[in-house]
Amino acid sequence: MSLRFLVYASEPGAFYNTYPNGSSALPVPVEYTPGEREENASKRDAAFEEWQEVDPEGYRLWHLATVAMQGGDSSELAEGWSEMMTRRHNVRIVDPCKYCKSCRSRR
């Protein structure tokens, strides 16, 4: 599981698609249960701890961007994965991949 997934799937309002009428039918969204979100949050927190150990600067930058977003700065939500999650899922998340060491070194 990716950190992106774990961050998303631990948020209230997060959902996944099911296909009860077959893969060619329209998807039916199902919200994660509180228990599923709790399990995902536990895995997310473990991934955050690992990130802090291997890339403290990346985690720090992501955390600062998340705090700014929670304070009303929506600039992080204007493009890329974060914009898609806000538009399609109505879940406001700062993209952790934007701040990881390998992605930062590619910019």
Side-chain angles (χ1 to χ4, degrees):
M1 284 184 220
S2 74
L3 183 54
R4 273 181 172 173
F5 168 78
L6 293 171
V7 170
Y8 168 72
S10 60
E11 290 290 316
F15 65 88
Y16 58 95
N17 288 324
T18 60
Y19 297 86
N21 298 318
S23 59
S24 62
L26 290 175
V28 176
V30 175
E31 192 167 334
Y32 286 97
T33 66
E36 290 170 323
R37 285 197 315 271
E38 186 177 313
E39 182 179 332
N40 291 327
S42 177
K43 293 175 184 175
R44 176 206 62 204
D45 293 346
F48 280 157
E49 286 180 24
E50 182 179 342
W51 188 11
Q52 287 175 327
E53 290 174 16
V54 299
D55 180 17
E57 180 64 6
Y59 179 82
R60 185 185 71 77
L61 292 170
W62 174 83
H63 181 74
L64 290 173
T66 297
V67 169
M69 185 263 310
Q70 291 168 341
D73 177 0
S74 59
S75 61
E76 287 287 333
L77 308 176
E79 61 185 23
W81 183 81
S82 293
E83 184 274 332
M84 180 194 68
M85 298 311 283
T86 302
R87 181 174 34 85
R88 288 188 187 172
H89 299 265
N90 199 31
V91 176
R92 298 167 46 94
I93 303 171
V94 174
D95 186 358
C97 293
K98 181 177 176 182
Y99 292 97
C100 77
K101 186 182 287 185
S102 61
C103 290
R104 286 193 329 267
S105 66
R106 284 187 237 145
R107 284 187 252 143

